[in-house]
Amino acid sequence: MWQLLDQQIESRLFIGTALYPSPDIMCRSIKAAHSDVVTVSLRRQNPAAADGQDFWQLIRSLEVKVLPNTAGCQSVKEAVTTAQMARELFDTKWIKLEVIGDEYNLQPDPFGLLEATKELINQGFDVFPYCTDDLVLCEKLVEAGCQVLMPWGAPIGTGKGLMNPYALKTIRERFKHIVMVVDAGIGAPSHATEAMQMGYDAVLLNTAVAQSSDPVTMAGAFKLAVEAGRLGFEAGVMPERDLAQPSTPTLGKPFWHQN
C-alpha cells in the first residue's frame, strides 16, 4: 500500500476507460490490471445522461477510485467548468487537469495549465496536472500547490515510451516529496518498467491496453511490469559500467590438478 493524497492505494498502475472494444472488455482489463484508480472523461461520458448512467454503474461496480479528467479542453475556462461539473457528478475533488495547446500532438498548454491549476486549487480541488517534462513548468505547478505531477513520457497515444529519460529523471530527483506519475506515451510494458525504475510512483496509460489485440492479457502484462519496475527501484538497480567486470573473480578461485 502507498499513500496518494488522502487515499491508501495498492496498485501503482492507473488506467483509462476509453477506446475499448466493449464495456465488458474494459471491465475485465481494469480487473486484470488490478488498478485502484481509473480515469474518466466527463466530455466522453456524462453520468447524468442515460448512456452515461450505464457507464457510471459499470465503474461503480469495479469499486475503484475515479479520477475525472478534462480531456479535450482547450481553454482555461473550459477546463475549469468541466472540473466543476466533474466534482459535482463524481463526488470527488480529484481532477486530472488537461488543457491542450496543440491539436497536432495534443501537447499541454503550459500557460493555460498553470492558470487553470491556480484557479482550481483555490476552489479546493486536488489537481493532477498533465504536463510536459519541463522542469520550470513543474516547479511553477508545485509552487501553485500541486501535490501530484503527471509529466508525459511522449504525446498521447503515440506509444513511443519515454522520449526524454534525462528530463524525467531530473524532475523525479528535483521533486522528491511530490507524487509523480508518468502519463501518456507508454506503449509497451517495458516502458512502464523503465519509468518505475526511475522512482516514479505510478504510471497512467490507456491506449496501450485498450487498442492491443488482447486488452485483458496486456493489462496483466502491464501490472507485472509496474510491479517489477518498482521492486527494481526499491532494491537498487546496479549502475552501468563501460568495462566488463567478472562476476567470479580470479583471486581465490579454486583449481584442480589432473593426475
Side-chain angles (χ1 to χ4, degrees), residues 47-229:
D51 58 341
Q53 282 289 352
D54 294 338
F55 176 81
W56 183 223
Q57 289 305 317
L58 279 177
I59 298 300
R60 281 183 182 274
S61 70
L62 295 171
E63 298 182 344
V64 293
K65 176 68 176 178
V66 173
L67 176 60
N69 67 55
T70 62
C73 291
Q74 298 182 342
S75 70
V76 173
K77 182 178 180 180
E78 188 180 16
V80 170
T81 300
T82 302
Q84 292 168 336
M85 293 172 60
R87 178 163 61 179
E88 180 178 347
L89 292 169
F90 292 108
D91 190 28
T92 180
K93 62 180 181 177
W94 285 15
I95 191 72
K96 178 191 169 187
L97 181 61
E98 298 183 29
V99 182
I100 301 302
D102 183 83
E103 280 293 328
Y104 179 72
N105 68 354
L106 301 179
Q107 180 169 328
D109 173 0
F111 309 103
L113 179 66
L114 182 58
E115 182 180 345
T117 294
K118 292 178 178 178
E119 176 63 30
L120 290 173
I121 287 177
N122 285 337
Q123 293 184 22
F125 284 87
D126 290 326
V127 177
F128 294 56
Y130 166 59
C131 59
T132 58
D133 51 18
D134 183 276
L135 177 63
V136 176
L137 172 59
C138 289
E139 186 169 23
K140 297 297 183 183
L141 290 168
V142 171
E143 290 175 355
C146 288
Q147 300 178 63
V148 178
L149 293 177
M150 304 183 77
W152 71 358
I156 295 173
T158 61
K160 289 183 176 294
L162 310 186
M163 293 191 307
N164 194 341
Y166 172 78
L168 289 171
K169 288 178 182 177
T170 301
I171 294 168
R172 174 68 282 183
E173 180 66 21
R174 174 66 178 81
F175 304 108
K176 290 185 173 69
H177 63 294
I178 297 295
V179 174
M180 304 284 282
V181 182
V182 172
D183 177 17
I186 299 293
S190 57
H191 299 158
T193 301
E194 183 181 3
M196 297 304 296
Q197 285 177 176
M198 288 181 182
Y200 275 77
D201 296 285
V203 298
L204 192 158
L205 54 91
N206 189 168
T207 308
V209 168
Q211 294 197 323
S212 70
S213 59
D214 185 347
V216 178
T217 299
M218 185 61 76
F222 271 105
K223 170 187 176 293
L224 296 175
V226 168
E227 291 175 354

Side-chain angles (χ1 to χ4, degrees), residues 27-46:
C27 290
R28 289 167 55 202
S29 299
I30 292 172
K31 290 178 180 178
H34 287 203
S35 293
D36 296 319
V37 178
V38 300
T39 59
V40 175
S41 172
L42 186 63
R43 293 166 63 89
R44 186 175 67 85
Q45 291 285 355
N46 184 351

